[in-house]
Amino acid sequence: MLRITGGTIYDPANGINGEVRDLYIADGKFSSKFDAGRTIDATGMVIMPGGVDVHTHVAGGSINFGRARTPEDHRRTHAFIRSKTRRSGLGGMAPTTFATGYLYAGMGWTTVNEAAVPVLSARHTHEELNDIPIVDKSSLVLLANNEIILDLLEEGEDERAKQIMAWYIWAAKSYGVKAVNPGGVASWKYGNDSKHLTSKISGYDHITPGTIVTKYAKMIDELGIPHPLHLHCNNLGAPGNVETTLETMRHLEGSRAHFAHLQYHAYGGDDWGNMRSEAARLAEYFNAHTNMTTDAGAVLFGDTVTITADGPWQHLLYKLTGRKWGNLDVENETGCGIVPYTYRPSNLVNAVQWAVGLELLLLINDPWRVFLSTDHPNGACFWRYPEIIQLLMCADYRNECMANLPLNIKNKISLPEISREYTLYEIATITSAGPARSLGLKHKGNLGIGKDADLVIYHQDKDIARMFGHPRYVFKGGEIVIEEGDIRETPDGKEYLIQPFYEPDIDEFLRPRFEDRYCMSFENYPVEMERIEHAQIQKCTGDDAEDGDSQ
Amino acid sequence: MSEVILRLKQDPVVTLEAEVITPDKFAEMSHEQICESIVYHGKRQLRLDEFFEVEGEKSEHIVLHGDMHRVRHLGRAMTMGSLTAHGDVGMHLGAHMKGGEICIRGNAGDWVGAEMSGGKIHVRGEAGQQVGAAYRGSLAGMKGGIIIVDGSAGIEVGMRMKRGTIFIRGSVKDFAGLQMIGGTIILGEGAEIRTGAWMQRGTIISLKPIDLMPTFGESGVMNPTFISVYSNLLKPHGCELPNDQNLGCYRRFSGDRSVPGKGEILIWQEHALN
């Protein structure tokens, strides 16, 4: 048992805003009483629930390909030397598995959601997730360009499509559905893209990206999946794409939806030269429609490697930058592209992107619906979150940074007019309580009795980036994992997955279609349950149990 | 002038990684500290004096003796002073070097002056592959300084180099100036095939006729003024470029047009004697 006394608590899930209270921990959960055991004095320190990352790329084929493509970063980056408590690894733009766990926990994040897993590399992804210590994990499976499901939608067999969606989720041992450039990646197989919701999808006559997003959102709601459709919209990164994004939002009225890395979808103008921020317009619509959540996908200046399932966009980015490019073939499921990239303050497009990420975080009023993310590693690496928190909490610092932007950015961004500063309570919401709620993880991001004892204790510090970068303690499941920058324990994290219901005869329906298309045999395709260490099956709504946590 | 003199007394069986042997480090070290500094013999960490007899201390001038073809990373990232070797040296000589001077009276291995940004390396013998090149994955190789090789060199001389000068008095193998971004490569005895492949900018000067890829286009005959400026700058290093228009001229080729790049290859051609 353990007692933490005197800390100032920010627990948005329970409406606790800066109150000094004692916390008791027993058996890895918060408890209402304390009999005996160690006491930690947190007087004068700030306590928040452990961070939850709703959208990151930390395991699987794409990030691994990204690691392989950037040996130059490995030579210059921070190395973790093997010690008694930790394995060796490398930090940098795409940290290795063990280092990922250490770095996340090192800044107080205790749950991460790997946001893009093709079923074909799901087995590999789970192997890597197993090797990310300390943090709890979940993963989303890429389905919006899956030929088998798109064929069924084309044929008007929506019910079957839903069943197969459920089958795929369970085959990938996944936690939800990610849609990347719906239809666009399918067109990419023909060398095309589908940029708008009414665009043609190569190889199909009756469906459009609009059909896919609306039907997928509906199917996911019907299946009762805890996390809504996790959507990477069409037309990412292109000037003027705000129209596509707004159109997508209109299509999804009445359904739940999570818009991933909204920063990349909020641009006006019609060319790189006149690209401008449309964050204000997007935020206005978003504020008025409470069915949606989003994560920022903020950009920070510096080197990174961009990895996404959006193959056509990556090809365009390669053509724009002349940097390295990698494209993975993921059969009929999805795509994958890798391009190392450097965001520069002197580059007008990058400067607009930097501003848009912050504008979205500052202009969306409800911190319960906008979450901190950089779409790691696309916008910046996750270990730079403390820098974003500083930008959100200090308007002065923000203005200082804005002085480095090119002069002709005037009238292209609205950041200079925004004076809002985040409070610690709001930071705890966007980094932990909000994403946990959106993921449907009821026992995360919450310091209430009976919830998982994942929490972080920070020193009060005027230097916000230092405060959030160097927690005093990090607790995972009631255990001290980080103490004053040192890794104390490296427990294995859990992995969350769901088992949505599907008719058992769907196997026989799917088999011939599968064997037509895949190079893999049907029997070898689904990930076996034994592959997943510390699996926790979460209930879908409509299932019996009240609370989502089954042991 | 005090010196630190190292004499190889035991031939390493496998490669010896000795990035500690730099003027920057030895300038601050006592004799005892130099003796006990760590070198990596394969995976084993050993004291420097297991392989070298050490003489002198606290000097930014290092003199090495012996056949050190298995000793790697000599002068790594050095910023000042001098390092002189009497004998062959191994790979990565002067990699990431920022200043100072290296002189090798023998042959050097691969990656001489890889990703260096300043200073001078003079190899009296032959050099291996990837002189002044970028390491795998890096966007830029050599960013400044000068490398002179009196003998020949291997493939990929100046691969992805951005600035600086490489002068190879002997011949070089394939892919000299591969993906070159800037800087100058001077080839005294010509090159094998695919010189300047994928080059974006920069200048390759060959004093002997070489075969070019079809993606380079001939763009004139000239005696550019900068050649004489260059020649004057190189004279103190013992190198000279012919620039007498009575004797010959440079044929200029631009490319690599498959990139498309704006690099140039200048090939010296003596006038036919009447």
Side-chain angles (χ1 to χ4, degrees):
Chain A
M1 293 192 89
L2 195 87
R3 177 168 62 176
I4 301 163
T5 60
T8 313
I9 293 177
Y10 295 88
D11 179 16
N14 297 300
I16 300 172
N17 182 3
E19 292 172 31
V20 176
R21 288 195 186 182
D22 291 354
L23 288 171
Y24 309 127
I25 297 171
D27 302 327
K29 312 247 180 225
F30 292 108
S31 157
S32 56
K33 53 182 190 298
F34 174 72
D35 300 329
R38 185 174 169 191
T39 298
I40 286 173
D41 182 10
T43 308
M45 296 184 201
V46 171
I47 300 183
M48 289 184 183
V52 178
D53 199 339
V54 74
H55 187 105
T56 183
H57 303 286
V58 290
S62 55
I63 186 81
N64 215 29
F65 194 30
R67 288 175 189 131
R69 301 286 299 176
T70 51
E72 74 277 20
D73 185 52
H74 303 163
R75 290 193 287 268
R76 67 185 176 206
T77 197
H78 171 70
F80 286 85
I81 310 295
R82 190 173 65 127
S83 72
K84 272 186 185 155
T85 49
R86 67 186 191 206
R87 299 271 294 261
S88 59
L90 287 169
M93 309 191 305
T96 54
T97 50
F98 289 97
T100 298
Y102 304 147
L103 287 166
Y104 258 118
M107 56 172 195
W109 260 249
T110 50
T111 307
V112 300
N113 181 36
E114 159 58 54
V117 184
V119 194
L120 273 168
S121 70
R123 193 172 272 109
H124 173 194
T125 307
H126 288 297
E127 296 288 350
E128 286 201 18
L129 287 176
N130 288 342
D131 277 347
I132 298 179
I134 306 176
V135 295
D136 289 340
K137 285 109 13 180
S138 59
S139 62
L140 304 178
V141 64
L142 291 159
L143 288 180
N145 293 285
N146 185 301
E147 247 178 56
I148 294 180
I149 301 183
L150 293 194
D151 285 357
L152 287 168
L153 293 183
E154 172 94 353
E155 292 160 20
E157 293 232 40
D158 292 7
E159 184 53 33
R160 274 254 164 69
K162 187 173 89 189
Q163 297 271 323
I164 292 195
M165 175 184 275
W167 184 92
Y168 268 118
I169 292 170
W170 180 242
K173 299 293 175 286
S174 176
Y175 186 72
V177 176
K178 167 87 177 291
V180 170
N181 190 356
V185 183
S187 295
W188 172 237
K189 310 283 167 77
Y190 296 77
N192 306 320
D193 194 358
S194 304
K195 287 184 185 296
H196 309 287
L197 290 195
T198 50
S199 297
K200 183 182 157 44
I201 300 172
S202 304
Y204 297 91
D205 293 324
H206 304 302
I207 55 171
T208 60
T211 330
I212 301 178
V213 292
T214 40
K215 289 197 171 170
Y216 270 50
K218 191 161 153 272
M219 293 194 293
I220 287 163
D221 284 353
E222 285 173 7
L223 288 169
I225 295 172
H227 185 55
L229 173 64
H230 196 105
L231 181 61
H232 157 143
C233 298
N234 301 70
N235 212 1
L236 173 140
N241 64 5
V242 69
E243 301 302 337
T244 315
T245 314
L246 285 168
E247 193 54 34
T248 313
M249 290 180 169
R250 280 183 215 114
H251 271 73
L252 289 170
E253 274 178 30
S255 300
R256 297 178 304 153
H258 178 87
F259 284 79
H261 40 73
L262 199 59
Q263 179 273 127
Y264 288 105
H265 305 274
Y267 309 143
D270 52 23
D271 197 7
W272 297 110
N274 63 15
M275 183 173 128
R276 61 175 189 275
S277 162
E278 287 285 2
R281 212 170 125 208
L282 205 53
E284 193 187 343
Y285 185 92
F286 191 90
N287 283 332
H289 294 80
T290 52
N291 57 318
M292 299 177 287
T293 55
T294 188
D295 61 88
V299 156
L300 290 173
F301 298 120
D303 289 326
T304 189
V305 51
T306 66
I307 64 162
T308 166
D310 197 342
W313 163 253
Q314 290 296 73
H315 181 252
L316 179 69
L317 189 62
Y318 155 67
K319 285 288 181 191
L320 285 170
T321 59
R323 295 278 290 260
K324 292 177 235 177
W325 173 53
N327 183 68
L328 279 180
D329 173 30
V330 200
E331 298 190 20
N332 72 81
E333 287 183 350
T334 175
C336 169
I338 310 288
V339 179
Y341 192 76
T342 306
Y343 291 97
R344 296 175 207 277
S346 55
N347 177 315
L348 187 63
V349 171
N350 294 164
V352 169
Q353 292 180 310
W354 175 83
V356 171
L358 298 173
E359 286 171 7
L360 284 169
L361 282 160
L362 293 162
L363 290 173
I364 293 173
N365 300 326
D366 183 1
W368 283 96
R369 294 203 291 128
V370 60
F371 314 131
L372 180 63
S373 85
T374 56
D375 187 17
H376 165 80
N378 290 302
C381 303
F382 66 80
W383 43 264
R384 296 181 69 188
Y385 285 171
E387 293 173 49
I388 303 178
I389 296 175
Q390 186 175 19
L391 286 163
L392 294 175
M393 290 186 70
C394 318
D396 289 345
Y397 176 65
R398 214 154 58 213
N399 293 333
E400 238 172 74
C401 293
M402 260 185 279
N404 299 329
L405 303 184
L407 287 175
N408 55 352
I409 200 164
K410 260 190 190 166
N411 305 324
K412 289 187 160 64
I413 56 173
S414 53
L415 195 59
E417 290 115 59
I418 305 171
S419 56
R420 180 179 169 194
E421 288 185 336
Y422 267 69
T423 62
L424 284 172
Y425 186 70
E426 287 171 326
I427 291 292
T429 315
I430 64 163
T431 58
S432 178
R437 183 187 283 182
S438 167
L439 284 168
L441 295 171
K442 292 176 183 159
H443 45 290
K444 296 288 175 195
N446 189 328
L447 303 180
I449 307 299
K451 308 298 181 189
D452 287 0
D454 301 346
L455 67 113
V456 48
I457 306 180
Y458 297 106
H459 288 293
Q460 291 267 20
D461 194 337
K462 283 207 178 94
D463 183 339
I464 301 293
R466 187 170 60 198
M467 168 175 167
F468 281 92
H470 301 89
R472 176 70 181 88
Y473 296 100
V474 179
F475 288 75
K476 171 69 195 3
E479 220 176 334
I480 297 180
V481 289
I482 305 286
E483 191 174 344
E484 207 63 285
D486 277 344
I487 299 167
R488 288 274 175 264
E489 298 291 335
T490 55
D492 290 337
K494 290 181 273 228
E495 219 195 304
Y496 296 107
L497 38 125
I498 54 168
Q499 186 173 18
F501 175 79
Y502 55 87
E503 303 289 345
D505 61 0
I506 206 74
D507 270 14
E508 287 321 302
F509 172 79
L510 191 57
R511 184 187 294 272
R513 287 179 180 246
F514 188 97
E515 285 169 354
D516 260 4
R517 285 174 177 79
Y518 279 85
C519 70
M520 198 174 191
S521 81
F522 190 59
E523 286 72 19
N524 290 337
Y525 183 73
V527 180
E528 305 83 354
M529 203 54 199
E530 303 80 65
R531 287 269 177 177
I532 297 167
E533 288 171 24
H534 313 286
Q536 296 267 307
I537 299 179
Q538 301 293 104
K539 293 275 197 281
C540 295
T541 50
D543 295 354
D544 302 324
E546 275 281 290
D547 195 5
D549 200 4
S550 81
Q551 299 295 323
Chain B
M1 185 176 73
S2 71
E3 287 171 341
V4 174
I5 301 172
L6 303 180
R7 285 192 181 81
L8 191 72
K9 58 182 182 187
Q10 184 197 331
D11 202 13
V13 183
V14 291
T15 56
L16 189 71
E17 314 248 327
E19 64 258 39
V20 68
I21 304 181
T22 71
D24 295 70
K25 291 201 172 129
F26 283 6
E28 303 296 325
M29 287 173 143
S30 67
H31 183 265
E32 181 51 29
Q33 283 171 322
I34 293 175
C35 289
E36 67 187 20
S37 54
I38 297 292
V39 290
Y40 294 84
H41 188 224
K43 67 175 183 179
R44 293 201 169 76
Q45 292 186 23
L46 297 170
R47 286 164 61 105
L48 180 72
D49 62 2
E50 297 215 13
F51 293 93
F52 290 95
E53 273 171 25
V54 181
E55 204 177 292
E57 61 174 7
K58 288 191 182 159
S59 170
E60 57 183 67
H61 300 287
I62 303 174
V63 181
L64 297 126
H65 294 274
D67 175 9
M68 292 160 288
H69 73 279
R70 286 208 186 92
V71 183
R72 292 182 175 178
H73 295 293
L74 289 171
R76 182 190 166 85
M78 64 188 266
T79 64
M80 59 172 189
S82 72
L83 187 149
T84 309
H86 299 273
D88 296 351
V89 297
M91 287 160 74
H92 310 291
L93 172 75
H96 296 285
M97 165 173 184
K98 295 183 183 70
E101 203 171 314
I102 293 179
C103 181
I104 306 298
R105 293 169 192 277
N107 302 327
D110 301 345
W111 304 103
V112 170
E115 298 187 12
M116 73 187 275
S117 52
K120 178 189 170 189
I121 300 178
H122 191 167
V123 178
R124 296 294 176 99
E126 300 186 346
Q129 305 175 359
Q130 287 99 5
V131 175
Y135 282 116
R136 301 300 182 206
S138 292
L139 297 180
M142 181 172 179
K143 295 174 204 75
I146 178 166
I147 300 175
I148 298 165
V149 178
D150 288 348
S152 62
I155 61 167
E156 294 177 8
V157 169
M159 181 246 292
R160 262 177 261 154
M161 74 184 281
K162 208 168 186 176
R163 294 234 196 296
T165 306
I166 300 177
F167 192 118
I168 313 281
R169 230 182 280 270
S171 62
V172 302
K173 293 207 166 74
D174 306 354
F175 287 112
L178 175 67
Q179 282 187 299
M180 195 169 167
I181 308 164
T184 309
I185 300 176
I186 303 160
L187 305 171
E189 290 290 330
E192 288 185 9
I193 55 173
R194 300 194 186 106
T195 305
W198 281 348
M199 74 188 284
Q200 294 174 26
R201 280 172 188 275
T203 305
I204 299 175
I205 302 169
S206 177
L207 306 185
K208 290 279 156 67
I210 52 173
D211 287 339
L212 286 184
M213 299 198 303
T215 48
F216 281 84
E218 184 149 14
S219 57
V221 176
M222 58 183 71
N223 280 78
T225 318
F226 81 84
I227 293 278
S228 54
V229 178
Y230 246 76
S231 192
N232 285 337
L233 287 171
L234 287 170
K235 225 174 245 171
H237 303 297
C239 313
E240 247 177 295
L241 292 174
N243 62 339
D244 185 344
Q245 56 188 355
N246 297 320
L247 296 178
C249 60
Y250 287 93
R251 289 173 71 197
R252 184 181 188 274
F253 297 83
S254 71
D256 179 345
R257 290 177 180 178
S258 69
V259 172
K262 296 179 206 159
E264 62 178 1
I265 298 183
L266 300 171
I267 300 177
W268 172 251
Q269 195 169 32
E270 284 183 19
H271 294 314
L273 293 172
N274 295 325

